[in-house]
Amino acid sequence: MWTIMEARGAAPAVLSTNVICNQQVCAFPDPESAKAADNRGCVMVDYDLLHELKDAGSSSFPPLWPILLPYVIWALYIDKAPEHGGRLSPWFRSIRFWKYFAEYYPASFKKECDLPADRPYVFGYHPHGIIGMGAMATFATEATGFSRAFPGIKPHLLTLSSNFNMPLYREILLLLGVRSVSKQSCSNILKGGSGQAITIVVGGAAESLSARPGTADLTLRKRLGFIKVAIQHGADLVPVFSFGENDIYQQMPNEKGTTVYKLQKRFQNMFGFTLPLFHGRGMLNYNLGLMPYRRRIVSVIGRPVHVTKCDKPTLEQITAVQEAYIEELMRIWHTYKDEFARTRQRELSIID
């Protein structure tokens, strides 16, 4: 059945099977009859086609709900894997895809000394960069050979709890051994004893706003929580500086005091993370896109800072360990900057 509706100068009507508001509806036995009326400014509608499209659309989604709804409820309200144990899969961490991922930049690490597996460890990763691709390659996969270099050490890269609210993506993180960065999660992992290790990207969202090629501006002075956790569990602190992490993306200007910076900080205060305005390269061009630039990332894993276990460390104890940690981090920078940061625009700086 073909029908036409004659416009009356009103707003577009909402079509239904029975009523067309503020329109005159006429029925014609065939398209030829309707075509003559079409010359008067009428709109021709094929209702049979509309019904077919409606039926096709309404039958696309409901069959998935019996699967999706229970999964979402389980993932968000029942499953506690991000903070209690998790589902690390050595096989998944070792699949060839992650090798290709690391070779893209390429990403690698440099080991300065052995780490005995008779104690837990807290790795502090610097800088955050825009996303932290070097941390992902080294501590969340076997693409760079972490387990071969440090036998007996079981690494867990930590991330925001909100990342585990995304269905399916959370399952990938859990299989890689990634866990929540909450205090409870850190404690649960380190209580596992010898060989357990967590990797914290210390600068977090605040540091990502300073990530630009050729720079190393760190947010570290006020970050005492990870040091306190290490002392409470008797875990040695291992500084890691990732040369090239800030070079794989360009960030739009957002100096302190600008409107963009204020909006980003407000967003961070509201949601716990921020949104750097960045760009990389495209699939077929090198100037604009969301893919990271192919620039080498080398994560230097430094010498451990030994700590003495204390359930309730004082501020003086925490700051003393922090000074030793910063000293080791600066040593890494000065030792390798001429090898891995030849195009740097300025020296490493702790800005906050």
Side-chain angles (χ1 to χ4, degrees), residues 1 93 104 136 221 268 317:
M1 172 66 71
R93 285 170 55 94
Y104 172 82
M136 185 77 175
R221 286 287 178 189
Q268 179 190 343
Q317 289 175 301

Side-chain angles (χ1 to χ4, degrees), residues 198-244:
I198 60 176
T199 301
I200 301 176
V201 186
V202 178
E207 192 173 275
S208 68
L209 297 180
S210 303
R212 289 182 176 78
T215 67
D217 298 332
L218 306 185
T219 300
L220 180 56
R221 286 287 178 189
K222 297 179 181 179
R223 308 288 182 167
L224 301 177
F226 77 106
I227 295 176
K228 182 178 180 180
V229 167
I231 296 174
Q232 289 175 329
H233 294 86
D236 283 2
L237 280 159
V238 184
V240 180
F241 192 89
S242 192
F243 292 89

Side-chain angles (χ1 to χ4, degrees), residues 123-141:
F123 292 89
Y125 185 92
H126 313 269
H128 183 285
I130 296 295
I131 298 177
M133 295 299 193
M136 185 77 175
T138 297
F139 295 100
T141 77

